[in-house]
């Protein structure tokens, strides 16, 4: 089974990204042959500053390798290392009804927020379909927000196959429903757009500061507290054993245990949890040549796979 997913280099990853996406991607490596890429062509739809885009792509590569991407099993590359994907997107464009793209939620949301959309934003799902179909993917793990894009991919693949013969494998989406939403420091969903994140690989000072900023109610040190409605406990749960969690809940209910104590306990748990990954990340950051080489080598591997599909597609549609 071939598993493929892409991730946008959209900024510093946080605990929500780790527990909601990155960890799953690492776990899925056990289940089949994985392709994972950094969606830098897609990132261009927001016209990021070029230097910033380069930095984000590189940092995301460090983050993923540090979090457990197994470079012996997973083809980990930059989307733009395979320009063939743009050619396939163009060919798919010619079987894509405009109405299908006009109905895409993510596009409609951007319009509703007042963005003046470029054509890249409009045809974003077609490039995503090309990403998926180019590598003959069977399973595509994505967040809930990408579900419709996956349906568009399937529609386009079926339409193309009906018109030109069975070239594409029809992929299945995989949306890990069991993943709980990680709350941010203000109790809403943790998200870059809400400014309530705890960064995955922040410095000790940044991490401590973010944790100390978690919103709690105004109960004093001696008061009994409700663990079930507390953001600190909700985050502690991600790292603690059932016994450690039960112990914290007990202390909350008994009183004499302040939110500052709980935050300190959360900080220590989180800091220790990510310690090996943080160390690995620092090693990688100190050897940028190695990371570049990994991305380059994997890009070539992905490209040779892509060329095979594209050759069949070109022949099927009547290009030489
Ligand atoms: P953000 O909201 O910070 O911009 P993204 O939309 O880039 O995050 O999300 C990237 C991935 O991380 C998606 O698969 C998404 O489902 C997951 N994710 C983001 N925030 C959370 C969260 N708070 N809890 C669980 N998963 C999350
Ligand atoms: N659109 C996806 C996101 O924002 C990223 C992405 C691009 C992707 N191409 C893909 C995901 C192909 C899965 C498969 O999260």
């Amino acid at each position: 089974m071939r598993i493929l997913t892409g991730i946008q280099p959209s900024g510093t990853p946080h605990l929500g990204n780790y527990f909601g996406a990155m960890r799953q991607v690492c776990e899925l490596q056990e289940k089949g042959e994985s392709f994972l890429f950094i969606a830098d062509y897609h990132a261009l739809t927001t016209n990021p500053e070029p230097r910033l885009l380069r930095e984000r792509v590189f940092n995301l590569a460090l983050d993923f390798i540090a979090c457990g991407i197994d470079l012996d099993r997973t083809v980990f590359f930059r989307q733009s290392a395979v320009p063939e994907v743009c050619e396939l997107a163009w060919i798919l464009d010619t079987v894509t009804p405009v109405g299908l793209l006009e109905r895409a939620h993510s596009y409609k949301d951007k319009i509703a927020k007042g963005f003046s959309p470029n054509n890249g934003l409009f045809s974003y799902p077609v490039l995503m379909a090309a990403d998926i179909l180019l590598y003959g993917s069977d399973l595509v793990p994505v967040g809930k927000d990408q579900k419709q894009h996956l349906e568009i991919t399937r529609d386009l693949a079926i339409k193309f196959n009906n018109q030109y013969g069975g070239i594409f494998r029809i992929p299945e989406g995989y949306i890990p429903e069991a993943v709980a939403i990680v709350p941010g420091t203000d109790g809403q969903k943790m998200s870059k757009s809400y400014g309530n994140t705890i960064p995955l690989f922040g410095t000790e000072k940044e991490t401590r500061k973010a944790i100390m900023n978690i919103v709690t109610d105004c109960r004093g040190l001696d008061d009994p507290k409700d663990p079930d409605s507390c953001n600190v406990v909700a985050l502690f749960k991600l790292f603690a054993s059932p016994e450690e969690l039960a112990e914290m809940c007990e202390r909350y209910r008994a009183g004499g245990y302040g939110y500052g104590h709980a935050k300190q306990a959360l900080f220590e748990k989180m800091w220790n949890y990510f310690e090996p990954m943080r160390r690995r990340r620092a090693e990688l950051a100190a050897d940028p040549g190695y990371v570049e080489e990994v991305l380059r080598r994997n890009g070539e591997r992905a490209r040779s796979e892509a060329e095979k599909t594209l050759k069949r597609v070109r022949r099927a549609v009547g290009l030489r």
Side-chain angles (χ1 to χ4, degrees), residues 14-17 181-199 235 238:
H14 52 71
L15 288 186
N17 298 141
I181 296 290
V182 175
T185 52
D186 58 358
Q188 293 188 82
K189 176 191 173 209
M190 186 177 289
S191 168
K192 275 160 239 144
S193 32
Y194 301 147
N196 63 357
T197 62
I198 300 176
L235 288 164
L238 297 168

Side-chain angles (χ1 to χ4, degrees), residues 205-275:
K205 200 169 161 202
E206 285 160 352
T207 308
R208 204 181 275 283
K209 189 169 166 215
I211 289 179
M212 292 305 153
N213 276 340
I214 297 173
V215 177
T216 52
D217 62 28
C218 54
R219 264 167 251 235
L221 177 66
D222 294 332
D223 299 329
K225 302 177 179 64
D226 176 18
D228 299 326
S229 62
C230 180
N231 298 327
V232 184
V233 178
L235 288 164
F236 187 75
K237 225 182 253 178
L238 297 168
F239 305 102
S241 66
E243 296 75 32
E244 288 164 333
L245 179 64
E247 195 184 324
M248 181 178 275
C249 293
E250 193 47 47
R251 289 187 164 158
Y252 262 63
R253 292 192 187 98
Y257 185 73
Y259 290 122
H261 295 126
K263 288 177 179 179
Q264 176 61 25
L266 169 60
F267 169 78
E268 278 164 22
K269 271 272 151 219
M270 176 183 163
W271 194 252
N272 292 335
Y273 185 93
F274 289 111
E275 174 63 25

